[in-house]
Amino acid sequence: MTDRRGVVVKRAEDLSPGVPYARGWNRARRSAGTLADQLVLLGLDSDFPGLVADVNVFGDGLVQLGTVSPDAAELLAQLITAGFAGELRGTMAEPPMTTQREAPAA
């Protein structure tokens, strides 16, 4: 089974020659590590005990969150939403760029 991004495909349990599994897994490992670091800072690391890097049959890296409680999933969704809202507020607060150059003060 594959979604439109090719993420939900079979895990790479039997390796095929010529597929860059290590590259995909290494990228997933770095991303999982970054997420794990942030979860530790938020005190949520124990809510995601199944967080792990993986790779699919095409060599694409995957990050599995594992089985999480509904409360942990809801909290993660709220944090993501708050982050996006913060980014939007940040872009709206920036002054508009001018296209004309100001003349130097004499």
Side-chain angles (χ1 to χ4, degrees):
M1 175 178 214
T2 304
D3 69 0
R4 66 176 187 228
R5 294 183 193 139
V7 174
V8 186
V9 296
K10 188 176 176 186
R11 291 180 51 235
E13 294 171 350
D14 297 321
L15 304 182
S16 299
V19 178
Y21 296 109
R23 185 179 311 141
W25 182 85
N26 193 38
R27 182 166 183 243
R29 184 183 58 83
R30 284 192 312 267
S31 297
T34 300
L35 179 56
D37 291 345
Q38 294 302 310
L39 292 172
V40 167
L41 291 174
L42 295 167
L44 299 174
D45 50 315
S46 62
D47 292 316
F48 295 86
L51 178 64
V52 65
D54 203 349
V55 66
N56 67 17
V57 294
F58 300 123
D60 300 322
L62 303 172
V63 175
Q64 293 187 19
L65 298 179
T67 303
V68 298
S69 71
D71 290 340
E74 187 173 341
L75 183 56
L76 183 58
Q78 290 171 356
L79 289 168
I80 292 169
T81 302
F84 283 141
E87 285 183 9
L88 285 175
R89 280 193 303 274
T91 58
M92 291 178 185
E94 293 177 8
M97 294 183 62
T98 59
T99 56
Q100 296 178 347
R101 298 178 73 187
E102 294 182 23

